Amino acid sequence: MSMLDMVDKVEALMMDLGARARLAARALATAPTEAKDAALRAMAAAVAADLPAILAANAEDLARAREAGLAPSFIDRLTLTETRVAAIAEALREVATLPDPVGATIADWQRPNGLRIRRVRTPLGVVGVIYESRPNVTADAGALCLKAGNAVILRGGSDSAKSSAAIHASLQKGLAAAGLPVDAIQLVHVSDRAAVGHMLAGLGGAVDVIVPRGGRSLVERVQAEARVPVFAHLEGLCHLYVDGAADLGMAVSLAVNAKMRRTGICGAAETLLVDRACAATHLAPILAALAEAGCEIRGDADTRDLYPQALSASEADWRTEYLDAILSVAVVDGVEGAIRHIERYSSHHTEAIVTEDAAAAERFLNGIDSAILLHNASTQFADGGEFGFGGEIGIATGKMHARGPVGVEQLTSFNYRVLGTGQTRP
Amino acid sequence: MSMLDMVDKVEALMMDLGARARLAARALATAPTEAKDAALRAMAAAVAADLPAILAANAEDLARAREAGLAPSFIDRLTLTETRVAAIAEALREVATLPDPVGATIADWQRPNGLRIRRVRTPLGVVGVIYESRPNVTADAGALCLKAGNAVILRGGSDSAKSSAAIHASLQKGLAAAGLPVDAIQLVHVSDRAAVGHMLAGLGGAVDVIVPRGGRSLVERVQAEARVPVFAHLEGLCHLYVDGAADLGMAVSLAVNAKMRRTGICGAAETLLVDRACAATHLAPILAALAEAGCEIRGDADTRDLYPQALSASEADWRTEYLDAILSVAVVDGVEGAIRHIERYSSHHTEAIVTEDAAAAERFLNGIDSAILLHNASTQFADGGEFGFGGEIGIATGKMHARGPVGVEQLTSFNYRVLGTGQTRP
């Protein structure tokens, strides 16, 4: 086959996936809650029953990854065990227990002419999910999209191709068992990177939104190339601000938790800002506790004056999402100084203030335009599960449609239903 | 000046507008309701006081338009009179009376760990409005964006440049009088079409959303080129379906109103679908009433059998938004037949069903994915004012963020405010 035939073949195959997804989406839009939940439970049962096949497929992926000399952390994310497969099945069952967002009335009012207007949740349509080599995303993303009445086209990393295909086969068994179209959850089997390009172009209008799940380079490519809306965050450069009116004990505990509980998640704090008004009393104890917990401190000149053990922070530090046990620290002039620093350097994902002063908290929450703002709580709560959304497909930092954790409700649109008794417009 | 200098100059000028808008948006985001409403009232007063200047500017535009031999309908839309200017001022005062969406709590819940989460409306940021030669849009769009806490960059048609500039000068007087930044409402004064291209590219990240107000060619260009989200509808190819269980009197009155009240608006019906089950009794009286009202009828074969006066409809008719006293008519097989026709040909703006059968209405409302669906009411109610939104900047047919009439509430985003008492994540 010539190169050109190859290109045409990938495009034709992707367009076909798109057309099938569109058809499945039409059926799903009016599928009863019971059918979707039955499918989710059948998917869980199929994943459990197919454990040997899933582990065998994963073993093939792992062998190739080890041969290729991939990093241990990568191998760990790729590895499936009996326990991890059981967790995948359990997550599917949990999505079945969530309330169905589709058909819910969001607003309902009557006009003076008697017209009754209802705003009702509807599915988005077709979601494209592009992810790296975490096989569990295949099941998680498939389940959340299905619950919201959307068809999904999944494109996983090539290193986990066999594992994802095995899990996907179980998902389709569950769909079939519940009488739902198997095209509701499709997996792109071509490893050709052009497949991603076609998804980003929208497959001829078939794709309503793209959700990238992965590192910065993946998200950057998706945001640069996508011709359809994208739910994503490029990075989580989150700030914790300790105000002059902060309780010291609380500030220490929140700073250690926000930075060190898990350093690799997008809600981990990357920069600590301390109010000049309390720097003399609060800064050293907070930084000592962080250092004790194993954190490297990079401070500005004011920070190093009060805590000489700190390394020197450069301009680049304020712009860096470490995703590691490293923290940049600056002394700022009150809540206004904190807002100025955050508006300049933040990725507008999540920021927190520690203070006993309600007015300072109010000013901080109103003055910063990030997706999630916390008062006296750890930035590590920036997570759909912690919000009570029961699972999320990602976190969005864009201001359109979905913002913050993207759960089943955020995977829907809405329309208006107007009920009359023969009203004509004068 | 060389061509290249010219290009650079337009780009520099537009980027400067973007940067100013961004700064103004930051100030507006926390501007109190009273300041915004005071500005709106001061804008209304300035428009009224500046009547002579506005009419003089409009006379210049009109003279040029007449010289250029532009169509009478175009001249009419361009023309300002004392009454029309008073209406512009009145519309500004009405926006002042609308509730302020910014800061409103949309949802509020508590987690088992005591965290209280509030979802709060925030401004979108900077809105770009690209419109044709209707001078009143300058004031309407400026007012709605201001009320929602957004800065706006207005780019009107060149034929109304002087009128828009005069109205814009009055708006900025009002902003200044209320102590709000005059850059909250900016007008693009360069007529160069490249200015639009820069806006569609987002002015270096300064523009959050583009709203095109105008005909199909403008909206098509915007949708094709925009690198930022767009709130728009390409066309309103709206359907009225008369079900077998429709009351004949209601069907006649709704059909005549939906088509003929005003034929040039996007909510006007363009296609009538009649259920085969009632075609023998309902079709002829409905079409006779429409013909009586001056409507040209283009029917399929079944329609012409029952109403021989109808012209013959071609495939193109099902895809045409006439915006005129012309109606295409087809006989369909029940509500399922109506849904099939609509899903195939509709622009997903607005569709209505006439029926006394609640189950048929339910099936129609659930089975069609258009922005507005009506039961026993005229499609001409598809309008923000009729929905009680108190003015709209347009109607959106996309499924993301804003859908249907786009009023002040739809010009906002939201974020999450999490209030804790020192919670750390386990």
Side-chain angles (χ1 to χ4, degrees):
Chain A
M1 195 183 293
S2 78
M3 196 63 188
L4 205 67
D5 287 343
M6 199 72 162
V7 168
D8 286 348
K9 206 185 149 199
V10 170
E11 179 169 10
L13 202 143
M14 293 305 295
M15 294 300 278
D16 179 57
L17 281 187
R20 285 159 178 270
R22 223 34 295 148
L23 276 176
R26 293 242 1 234
L28 282 180
T30 53
T33 305
E34 306 79 59
K36 293 187 286 187
D37 291 346
L40 288 162
R41 287 189 299 267
M43 284 154 61
V47 164
D50 295 341
L51 174 70
I54 293 170
L55 291 183
N58 188 241
E60 287 187 61
D61 284 336
L62 285 171
R64 259 194 315 143
R66 287 200 191 92
E67 250 172 61
L70 295 175
S73 62
F74 185 95
I75 302 269
D76 177 58
R77 281 199 297 273
L78 180 57
T79 302
L80 291 175
T81 60
E82 192 169 340
T83 313
R84 286 185 176 184
V85 173
I88 289 173
E90 184 50 32
L92 290 167
R93 275 185 219 103
E94 271 169 28
V95 176
T97 67
L98 295 177
D100 188 345
V102 177
T105 298
I106 315 167
D108 188 345
W109 68 99
Q110 192 139 18
R111 298 289 302 154
N113 59 7
L115 284 180
R116 185 170 159 209
I117 305 182
R118 288 197 304 139
R119 187 173 151 147
V120 174
R121 275 196 215 291
T122 57
L124 276 176
V126 176
V127 181
V129 181
I130 299 170
Y131 55 106
E132 290 173 345
S133 295
R134 291 177 183 259
N136 62 306
V137 174
T138 309
D140 291 352
L144 291 170
C145 289
L146 175 68
K147 184 79 187 211
N150 298 306
V152 61
I153 298 173
L154 301 164
R155 210 289 187 172
S158 54
D159 298 302
S160 61
K162 302 262 181 199
S163 313
S164 292
I167 293 170
H168 177 247
S170 305
L171 303 184
Q172 290 203 319
K173 282 184 202 172
L175 289 167
L180 291 183
V182 293
D183 288 339
I185 304 177
Q186 295 184 92
L187 182 69
V188 177
H189 288 282
V190 272
S191 61
D192 196 316
R193 285 197 68 174
V196 172
H198 292 300
M199 285 177 74
L200 297 180
L203 303 178
V207 177
D208 291 291
V209 61
I210 292 281
V211 182
R213 289 281 307 258
R216 191 187 167 99
S217 68
L218 171 69
V219 178
E220 270 178 339
R221 178 186 174 194
V222 166
Q223 291 187 329
E225 288 183 30
R227 296 295 296 161
V228 292
V230 175
F231 293 162
H233 69 273
L234 199 54
E235 53 184 15
L237 213 165
C238 306
H239 295 74
L240 181 77
Y241 165 61
V242 175
D243 184 57
D247 174 86
L248 177 57
M250 189 189 289
V252 169
S253 128
L254 290 181
V256 172
N257 188 262
K259 176 72 249 183
M260 298 300 290
R261 174 185 160 269
R262 282 181 65 191
T263 55
I265 67 172
C266 58
E270 304 294 2
T271 299
L272 175 73
L273 303 172
V274 179
D275 190 349
R276 193 175 307 282
C278 68
T281 52
H282 287 36
L283 191 114
I286 295 170
L287 297 188
L290 281 158
E292 171 81 14
C295 185
E296 175 182 321
I297 309 293
R298 301 185 186 174
D300 66 357
D302 290 333
T303 299
R304 294 198 309 281
D305 279 350
L306 292 160
Y307 186 78
Q309 301 94 312
L311 303 175
S312 176
S314 69
E315 173 71 15
D317 282 295
W318 314 122
R319 303 184 185 278
T320 301
E321 184 190 26
Y322 304 113
L323 294 173
D324 201 349
I326 306 171
L327 183 71
S328 56
V329 185
V331 174
V332 295
D333 289 312
V335 69
E336 297 303 330
I339 292 173
R340 271 196 303 276
H341 182 104
I342 291 169
E343 282 294 320
R344 179 154 178 205
Y345 296 110
S346 172
S347 63
H348 296 285
H349 184 295
T350 295
E351 336 289 345
I353 179 174
V354 191
T355 188
E356 299 301 307
D357 176 353
E362 184 75 5
R363 175 69 192 120
F364 186 88
L365 268 56
N366 286 330
I368 296 173
D369 192 23
S370 295
I372 303 173
L373 298 163
L374 304 108
H375 174 207
N376 289 347
S378 169
T379 57
Q380 300 234 352
F381 285 111
D383 176 291
E386 293 300 317
F387 272 53
F389 291 176
E392 65 175 38
I393 202 165
I395 298 221
T397 49
K399 283 188 273 191
M400 287 287 162
H401 197 85
R403 195 175 197 196
V406 182
V408 285
E409 202 172 283
Q410 289 73 32
L411 288 170
T412 62
S413 181
F414 62 87
N415 63 14
Y416 294 99
R417 319 277 173 101
V418 183
L419 312 180
T421 49
Q423 282 88 343
T424 53
R425 188 165 171 191
Chain B
M1 195 183 292
S2 78
M3 196 63 186
L4 205 66
D5 288 343
M6 199 72 163
V7 169
D8 286 349
K9 204 186 152 199
V10 170
E11 178 168 9
L13 203 144
M14 293 304 295
M15 294 301 279
D16 179 58
L17 281 189
R20 284 158 178 271
R22 212 56 277 154
L23 276 176
R26 291 243 2 234
L28 282 182
T30 52
T33 305
E34 306 77 60
K36 292 188 287 186
D37 291 346
L40 288 162
R41 287 189 299 266
M43 283 154 62
V47 164
D50 295 342
L51 174 69
I54 293 170
L55 291 183
N58 187 242
E60 288 187 60
D61 284 335
L62 285 171
R64 258 194 316 144
R66 288 201 192 92
E67 249 172 64
L70 294 174
S73 62
F74 184 96
I75 302 268
D76 176 57
R77 282 198 296 274
L78 180 58
T79 302
L80 290 175
T81 61
E82 191 170 340
T83 313
R84 287 185 176 184
V85 173
I88 288 173
E90 183 51 32
L92 289 167
R93 274 184 220 103
E94 271 169 28
V95 175
T97 68
L98 294 177
D100 188 346
V102 177
T105 298
I106 316 168
D108 189 344
W109 68 100
Q110 192 139 18
R111 297 290 302 153
N113 60 7
L115 285 180
R116 185 169 160 210
I117 305 182
R118 288 196 305 139
R119 187 174 150 147
V120 175
R121 276 197 215 290
T122 57
L124 276 175
V126 176
V127 181
V129 181
I130 300 169
Y131 55 106
E132 290 174 344
S133 296
R134 290 176 184 262
N136 62 306
V137 174
T138 309
D140 290 351
L144 291 169
C145 289
L146 175 68
K147 184 79 187 210
N150 300 304
V152 63
I153 299 173
L154 301 163
R155 209 286 188 176
S158 54
D159 298 302
S160 60
K162 303 260 182 202
S163 314
S164 292
I167 293 171
H168 176 247
S170 305
L171 303 184
Q172 289 201 320
K173 282 185 201 169
L175 289 167
L180 290 183
V182 293
D183 288 338
I185 303 177
Q186 294 183 92
L187 181 69
V188 177
H189 288 281
V190 271
S191 61
D192 196 316
R193 285 198 66 175
V196 173
H198 292 300
M199 285 177 74
L200 298 180
L203 303 178
V207 176
D208 291 291
V209 62
I210 292 280
V211 181
R213 289 282 308 258
R216 191 186 168 101
S217 68
L218 170 69
V219 178
E220 270 178 340
R221 177 184 175 195
V222 167
Q223 290 187 330
E225 288 183 30
R227 297 294 298 161
V228 292
V230 174
F231 292 162
H233 69 274
L234 199 53
E235 52 183 17
L237 212 166
C238 306
H239 295 76
L240 181 77
Y241 165 61
V242 175
D243 184 57
D247 174 86
L248 176 57
M250 189 189 289
V252 169
S253 125
L254 291 182
V256 172
N257 189 261
K259 176 72 252 182
M260 299 300 292
R261 175 184 159 271
R262 281 182 64 191
T263 56
I265 67 172
C266 58
E270 304 293 2
T271 300
L272 174 74
L273 304 172
V274 178
D275 190 349
R276 194 176 305 283
C278 69
T281 51
H282 287 34
L283 191 114
I286 296 170
L287 298 188
L290 281 159
E292 171 82 14
C295 186
E296 174 183 320
I297 309 293
R298 301 186 187 174
D300 66 356
D302 290 334
T303 298
R304 295 196 311 278
D305 279 350
L306 291 159
Y307 186 77
Q309 302 93 312
L311 303 176
S312 176
S314 70
E315 173 70 16
D317 282 295
W318 314 123
R319 303 183 185 280
T320 301
E321 184 190 25
Y322 303 113
L323 295 173
D324 201 350
I326 307 171
L327 182 71
S328 57
V329 185
V331 174
V332 295
D333 290 312
V335 70
E336 297 303 330
I339 291 173
R340 271 197 303 275
H341 182 104
I342 291 169
E343 282 295 321
R344 181 154 177 204
Y345 296 110
S346 172
S347 63
H348 297 284
H349 184 297
T350 295
E351 336 288 345
I353 179 173
V354 192
T355 188
E356 299 300 306
D357 176 353
E362 183 74 6
R363 175 68 193 122
F364 186 88
L365 268 56
N366 286 329
I368 296 172
D369 192 23
S370 295
I372 302 172
L373 298 163
L374 304 108
H375 174 206
N376 288 347
S378 168
T379 56
Q380 300 233 353
F381 284 111
D383 176 291
E386 293 300 317
F387 271 53
F389 292 176
E392 65 175 38
I393 201 164
I395 297 223
T397 50
K399 284 188 272 190
M400 287 287 162
H401 197 85
R403 196 176 196 198
V406 183
V408 284
E409 202 172 283
Q410 289 72 33
L411 288 171
T412 63
S413 182
F414 62 88
N415 63 12
Y416 295 98
R417 319 277 174 102
V418 183
L419 312 181
T421 50
Q423 283 87 343
T424 54
R425 188 164 171 194

